[in-house]
Amino acid sequence: MLNTMPSGYFSLHRAAAIVLLAIAAHWVHAAQSSTKTAAAAPLMIEALGKGTFTLDGPWQFHPGDDPAWASPTFDSSNWEQLSADQPWGKQGHAHLTGFAWYRCYVALTPTPGVPQELSLLVPKIHDSYEMYWNGSLIGHNGKLPPRPVWYISQPMQTFELGRELGQAQHGILAVRVWKAPLLSDDSGEQGGFDAAPLIGSPEAIATAKAAYEYQWLSSRQLHFAANLLCAAIAFLSFLLWLRAPSRWVLFWTTGFAIAQPAILLLINAHLGWPYSLAMGASQPLHAVQDVSLWFLLLWLLSLHENHKLCRVARILAYVYTVGEVLDGVLVALSWNPQWAGVAQVFDAVLTALLLLFEAFPLVLVGFALFQRKQFNSARWLVAILAFLDEMMLFFSDAVKQGRQFTGWSIADKIGSPLFFLDGNGISLSTLAGALLLAAIVYAVYNSVREDQRRQDALEREKMELLHESNRMRHHAEHDGLTGLWNHRVIVERLGEEMIRSLRDGTPLSVIMADVDHFKKVNDTFGHLAGDLILKEIGTVFTRTLRPYDCVGRYGGEEFLLILPNCGMESALIRGEQLRAAVQSARIRDGETSLQVTASFGLASVLPSHADAETVIRAVDAALYRAKRSGRNCVIQADMDIPVR
């Protein structure tokens, strides 16, 4: 069949097809070009003298690990480009863990005539890394798997690039990075560089590092000062508790105040603790702080009298502490590929359970309010601030969990500074924690002062009762007129001395004294004069006897004297001394001078004298013989008196 179409039609159709093919080819090329990242131009550093240069990039970036990527001959032009001024998690690689590499081509042109050795200042890189210059390892921070070690807090690291440079030097700077597995509260936005490294002369790098450290310290001086104050409070509270162990509120104040400085030293003090050790140890410290707050609230809110609530608090404290220790162990095991998955699952489950324990202070405050406890202003302040602080802490920790999946940033906003004071950021959580500590210290001070006042009052009452008891005992044991031992006590003392004399084999003598013509004195001068004579004679006896001798008023005008370690001959001499002392005593009753004498019966205790009654009968008989013999004399007892 003949083609009847005009020839111009075919020419037009062919031209249209060529145009469409060209457009399609261009689109395909553009699409292919869009899937590849253009090779980064070298970082040109000209006239590098004694200053520094920021290696902000772009850097070639690639997840994975291959030692060949450190070689300067390796072609990384098809790698993705990232900047070094923020982590890879914020540049499209959220949740990326494990190995990744950075590479940067650097062309250096030093200042002419200034020979240099260059240094590199590297900020924090998550989590451990190795640094290569032209394929040679120039340093590392931490250790890479299979047994990784990385640090949660440390200053910038300095690396030396090596030999002197000529007029021009270029090379590849490669960084091999390992990011630890994510835990339940990780945001997933970290990884790699936190900030761009600096390159420059060793002097310039040292100056930059010193400036960074100074800025870091000055921006945290209030934070460090507050923690130092916490440590001082803990130390003083502990010393006070050692002096008064019954004041448990001081013990719990110690635990609450010391936990935060200890956590600071582990995590935020640039001391270079390994991550697993720092985080593993900080978990039990959090438990110490929380549990101490529980028991502080029990005491300060007057809930410690509720024994059931205290028992529940103790059980929860044990469980919570064990849980925090296990959580610390899981953190320490999370890096191991064999345990990483299990550790992450259990960490998430355990953290969710432990969050419930963090709400226990809210329960205590609510229980105190429900019981309508009567508090002073200091304790009300503790209750209010504890409620607000724990609510904020509980909410912040809750929203942190799983934020790598939810993307919630509210916890970061809670922790972000509300205002700055001399360059120090003050966040809402920091402010609430400081106010709570101040309120607790003030309430504890008031509580201790109240306890001290009560204790002083009890001590005064105790002393008054003791004084009254001694007074009553004195009245019960002493004669009301002479102040000497009364009849009951002097007889008991005689029995005790007899037992000791028999046990130790030492002599013992007993004297019974009686005032001569005492009834005549009473009839002539009155009973008050007689009372005065009895008191003065008691004083004469007390002054004449030895300190360990005993004298008591046996009854009426009779006195019983006990002479331990004194034989018959010595007792006779002592009896004569007592008789002479009574006779020579001048007793004045107003203008009247009174003089009396006394008769004495004396005996030495024999083994056959089984009891005090036998001895008293003997000396009493000797006393009556002295009376019949004319009075004012000393008569020895007849030792042949039968024992009844």
Side-chain angles (χ1 to χ4, degrees):
M1 174 182 249
L2 295 176
N3 190 351
T4 59
M5 291 294 180
S7 60
Y9 176 83
F10 289 99
S11 299
L12 188 60
H13 180 75
R14 189 177 296 112
I18 293 173
V19 171
L20 290 175
L21 182 61
I23 293 174
H26 178 73
W27 179 82
V28 171
H29 178 72
Q32 291 176 348
S33 299
S34 65
T35 60
K36 295 183 180 180
T37 303
L43 289 177
M44 303 300 298
I45 306 175
E46 298 182 356
L48 182 61
K50 296 184 178 181
T52 61
F53 184 85
T54 304
L55 300 178
D56 50 359
W59 290 66
Q60 305 294 105
F61 174 80
H62 195 282
D65 185 39
D66 188 343
W69 294 348
S71 173
T73 60
F74 177 77
D75 182 13
S76 59
S77 59
N78 61 341
W79 283 13
E80 182 183 357
Q81 292 183 8
L82 297 182
S83 63
D85 56 357
Q86 57 182 344
W88 68 49
K90 295 183 179 181
Q91 301 185 71
H93 291 277
H95 315 149
L96 175 62
T97 61
F99 282 100
W101 282 73
Y102 287 92
R103 285 170 56 92
C104 181
Y105 179 48
V106 181
L108 304 169
T109 305
T111 301
V114 182
Q116 293 184 349
E117 291 185 356
L118 296 183
S119 296
L120 196 66
L121 182 63
V122 181
K124 181 175 178 59
I125 295 180
H126 299 276
D127 283 309
S128 57
Y129 61 92
E130 293 177 342
M131 189 71 61
Y132 295 87
W133 172 248
N134 283 334
S136 299
L137 179 66
I138 61 173
H140 63 88
N141 187 38
K143 294 181 181 179
L144 301 181
R147 295 194 174 274
V149 175
W150 70 103
Y151 307 102
I152 191 170
S153 174
Q154 63 175 341
M156 288 182 166
Q157 303 299 305
T158 303
F159 302 98
E160 301 295 331
L161 292 185
R163 62 183 181 81
E164 289 190 358
L165 299 174
Q167 289 300 316
Q169 179 72 27
H170 60 85
I172 295 294
L173 192 61
V175 187
R176 184 189 184 196
V177 182
W178 178 80
K179 176 72 178 72
L182 302 178
L183 296 176
S184 60
D185 60 345
D186 285 328
S187 65
E189 295 182 349
Q190 299 299 325
F193 286 110
D194 257 0
L198 301 178
I199 191 171
S201 65
E203 295 80 5
I205 292 298
T207 301
K209 184 176 182 181
Y212 165 78
E213 294 292 345
Y214 174 78
Q215 189 275 334
W216 182 82
L217 287 172
S218 62
S219 65
R220 289 164 175 80
Q221 56 185 342
L222 290 181
H223 184 56
F224 290 153
N227 280 271
L228 183 61
L229 180 61
C230 288
I233 291 172
F235 180 71
L236 292 176
S237 299
F238 184 70
L239 291 181
L240 292 174
W241 176 73
L242 290 178
R243 292 185 59 186
S246 61
R247 293 177 176 169
W248 284 99
V249 67
L250 294 172
F251 178 81
W252 299 119
T253 302
T254 301
F256 181 76
I258 198 60
Q260 198 59 43
I263 294 172
L264 170 71
L265 293 177
L266 286 172
I267 296 179
N268 295 318
H270 277 186
L271 296 181
W273 298 104
Y275 179 89
S276 56
L277 173 62
M279 291 299 294
S282 66
Q283 298 301 106
L285 287 174
H286 282 295
V288 169
Q289 186 177 37
D290 291 340
V291 170
S292 298
L293 178 60
W294 298 357
F295 287 96
L296 276 173
L297 292 176
L298 283 173
W299 280 85
L300 295 179
L301 302 184
S302 302
L303 298 175
H304 60 284
E305 300 171 355
N306 189 320
H307 299 294
K308 291 183 179 180
L309 186 61
C310 289
R311 185 164 55 251
V312 170
R314 284 193 294 268
I315 294 173
L316 293 181
Y318 293 138
V319 176
Y320 182 50
T321 303
V322 172
E324 288 286 8
V325 171
L326 291 177
D327 196 32
V329 173
L330 291 174
V331 170
L333 293 176
S334 61
W335 62 269
N336 193 320
Q338 297 179 353
W339 297 98
V342 176
Q344 286 176 320
V345 171
F346 276 94
D347 175 66
V349 174
L350 192 58
T351 301
L353 294 176
L354 294 178
L355 275 175
L356 300 178
F357 288 90
E358 292 185 0
F360 189 60
L362 306 179
V363 176
L364 294 177
V365 174
F367 189 81
L369 296 177
F370 179 77
Q371 294 291 320
R372 297 182 180 179
K373 294 287 184 178
Q374 298 297 323
F375 304 137
N376 55 25
S377 58
R379 302 193 181 199
W380 270 114
L381 187 61
V382 169
I384 294 171
L385 290 176
F387 184 84
L388 294 177
D389 181 73
E390 292 303 310
M391 274 291 294
M392 184 169 53
L393 179 63
F394 175 77
F395 179 75
S396 177
D397 288 346
V399 297
K400 280 182 181 179
Q401 305 307 312
R403 59 178 174 171
Q404 54 183 290
F405 307 109
T406 62
W408 292 345
S409 60
I410 188 171
D412 296 330
K413 293 180 180 178
I414 293 176
S416 61
L418 291 175
F419 58 91
F420 289 87
L421 185 61
D422 194 21
N424 293 259
I426 308 297
S427 66
L428 184 60
S429 58
T430 301
L431 190 61
L435 291 176
L436 176 59
L437 178 62
I440 287 175
V441 171
Y442 180 60
V444 169
Y445 169 75
N446 282 340
S447 175
V448 171
R449 190 172 61 175
E450 292 172 2
D451 289 345
Q452 187 63 46
R453 283 199 295 264
R454 285 194 294 267
Q455 184 174 350
D456 292 342
L458 289 175
E459 287 294 332
R460 287 194 298 270
E461 184 178 353
K462 179 180 178 181
M463 292 300 297
E464 292 174 359
L465 291 174
L466 181 61
H467 177 73
E468 182 65 19
S469 175
N470 291 334
R471 189 182 66 82
M472 295 177 65
R473 180 180 177 183
H474 183 273
H475 286 310
E477 295 179 345
H478 292 76
D479 175 59
L481 177 63
T482 63
L484 304 177
W485 297 115
N486 60 24
H487 177 89
R488 178 182 61 83
V489 176
I490 194 64
V491 173
E492 290 177 355
R493 293 298 299 270
L494 176 58
E496 294 171 358
E497 291 296 337
M498 289 178 64
I499 293 173
R500 184 166 62 178
S501 173
L502 182 62
R503 183 185 66 239
D504 298 341
T506 57
L508 175 67
S509 296
V510 180
I511 298 176
M512 180 78 79
D514 182 84
V515 180
D516 296 334
H517 303 296
F518 187 72
K519 184 178 184 302
K520 183 178 179 180
V521 172
N522 282 333
D523 293 341
T524 304
F525 299 100
H527 287 83
L528 292 180
D531 292 345
L532 180 61
I533 288 173
L534 292 178
K535 288 192 291 185
E536 290 297 328
I537 289 178
T539 302
V540 169
F541 286 164
T542 303
R543 186 170 58 243
T544 306
L545 293 176
R546 299 169 298 180
Y548 51 87
D549 293 337
C550 299
V551 58
R553 185 181 180 187
Y554 188 74
E557 66 273 19
E558 294 180 334
F559 297 87
L560 185 65
L561 297 88
I562 304 171
L563 309 178
N565 200 22
C566 183
M568 179 58 72
E569 293 182 2
S570 298
L572 288 172
I573 295 173
R574 186 61 51 82
E576 282 295 331
Q577 292 174 346
L578 293 170
R579 186 199 63 77
V582 171
Q583 183 178 1
S584 61
R586 295 295 182 266
I587 304 170
R588 299 194 64 83
D589 182 16
E591 298 297 329
T592 305
S593 178
L594 303 175
Q595 184 177 8
V596 295
T597 60
S599 301
F600 296 83
L602 183 149
S604 287
V605 177
L606 300 176
S608 60
H609 297 154
D611 53 32
E613 182 180 350
T614 302
V615 176
I616 291 174
R617 187 179 298 112
V619 294
D620 189 50
L623 174 62
Y624 277 100
R625 286 167 53 200
K627 292 282 188 180
R628 290 193 299 268
S629 299
R631 296 182 173 86
N632 192 23
C633 62
V634 179
I635 299 297
Q636 179 180 347
D638 186 358
M639 308 314 302
D640 294 331
I641 294 178
V643 178
R644 296 180 182 179

